Amino acid sequence: MNLLVDAPAYWPSEDAARSKAWLYLASAAHFGASPHLYGVGSTYYHGEVPMRLDGQIEFLTQHKADYTHVLFSDAWDVIFTAPLDEIVYKYKKFGSPECLIGGAIQNLNAHPDNLYDEFFDMTQPYPYATTAMYIAEIPYIIDRFTRMNKACTHDQTPAFIEAWMEGWFHPEIDYKCELFQDKEDNCILHEGRVHNTLTDTYPSMLHVSGDFMDPATGRDHRIIPWAKGVGILPDDYIHVYGDK
């Protein structure tokens, strides 16, 4: 297994990307990951489909000869909370599925809320798939993402759900947040780890999603306490925005 860690970074320059995704990059460095940022040089936000689907296809196609698997997540509002070796260990413990995707407690793009519940295992604590984090075989992702209907460019969730309902995109879901935690609800800090008290697990990546995203600082104010709690930042760290 040769793992590529990547994340979308659709900002005008490398400096801008590293400034916005500084917490993600700091957490990766702390926990032994060397992520590749793709999309740098973009002068505007293209939407989720060009960013998470088309951009990922293009980037993986360029690197598929050198890697077998990809660990994908967002960059601006995600941090590693455990070593990369732990993520690989947990993935293999799942049986190394073609794709292991994060679970979500809410299907935020379904109206009404229960519109797609029949297609998911609603007995699970996090029954839905989140599109923000997964680990997978690269050929699988290239094939499935290429086949998806990308008519709605601003949100790729309909493409995921449509493929799921048609039966040809069924990644294994991390129902108990063993690797991937979507939203910090149900979580506390316990002995230097993020602990999900609902599932009694210690996820290895945290996606601080939902609510307002400040155009300058993202959700840093919500992420920084977690980063301090798992040792990425010292307890007395104060970030001054605009500093290099």
Side-chain angles (χ1 to χ4, degrees):
M1 177 178 177
N2 196 4
L3 183 63
L4 170 69
V5 181
D6 74 357
Y10 282 74
W11 288 293
S13 67
E14 184 78 16
D15 283 349
R18 292 191 170 276
S19 174
K20 298 291 189 184
W22 70 278
L23 282 162
Y24 168 77
L25 294 171
S27 72
H30 183 77
F31 287 116
S34 301
H36 297 257
L37 301 178
Y38 68 85
V40 175
S42 178
T43 56
Y44 67 97
Y45 176 66
H46 298 260
E48 284 190 1
V49 167
M51 179 179 73
R52 287 184 177 170
L53 297 185
D54 294 336
Q56 177 74 315
I57 293 168
E58 180 181 1
F59 188 74
L60 292 182
T61 299
Q62 293 170 357
H63 295 279
K64 64 182 180 180
D66 301 316
Y67 298 92
T68 59
H69 293 71
V70 60
L71 174 63
F72 169 90
S73 73
D74 286 352
W76 204 1
D77 54 3
V78 170
I79 56 170
F80 290 83
T81 61
L84 185 62
D85 288 347
E86 178 181 295
I87 295 173
V88 173
Y89 170 79
K90 288 179 177 178
Y91 170 66
K92 290 180 178 179
K93 194 173 178 180
F94 269 91
S96 302
E98 290 178 306
C99 180
L100 176 64
I101 198 166
I105 205 164
Q106 291 178 292
N107 195 1
L108 297 177
N109 300 89
H111 302 285
D113 290 343
N114 63 350
L115 182 61
Y116 300 108
D117 285 1
E118 65 181 288
F119 297 98
F120 296 91
D121 184 353
M122 300 307 298
T123 68
Q124 298 291 344
Y126 288 77
Y128 303 107
T130 175
T131 56
M133 296 177 289
Y134 58 80
I135 182 171
E137 296 176 1
I138 288 175
Y140 179 87
I141 291 299
I142 292 174
D143 175 73
R144 296 310 192 270
F145 283 11
T146 300
R147 292 172 60 183
M148 284 185 183
N149 180 355
K150 302 164 189 171
C152 180
T153 62
H154 70 275
D155 176 19
Q156 97 255 18
T157 306
F160 269 60
I161 292 178
E162 182 179 277
W164 189 284
M165 291 189 299
E166 291 175 357
W168 52 266
F169 180 64
H170 266 196
E172 186 162 346
I173 297 177
D174 183 12
Y175 291 122
K176 295 183 178 179
C177 305
E178 295 183 55
L179 276 79
F180 304 118
Q181 177 68 47
D182 185 61
K183 294 182 72 71
E184 67 271 40
D185 298 353
N186 303 314
C187 290
I188 62 171
L189 287 164
H190 177 69
E191 296 182 354
R193 290 295 305 260
V194 174
H195 179 218
N196 187 315
T197 58
L198 176 64
T199 59
D200 194 24
T201 54
Y202 292 84
S204 306
M205 297 185 78
L206 173 64
H207 179 214
V208 179
S209 62
D211 300 324
F212 177 67
M213 174 75 86
D214 188 279
T217 63
R219 299 188 179 102
D220 288 359
H221 67 288
R222 287 168 54 193
I223 302 173
I224 286 174
W226 298 102
K228 290 181 177 181
V230 300
I232 298 163
L233 301 173
D235 289 339
D236 60 353
Y237 183 87
I238 299 175
H239 189 69
V240 180
Y241 290 92
D243 284 1
K244 293 292 184 181

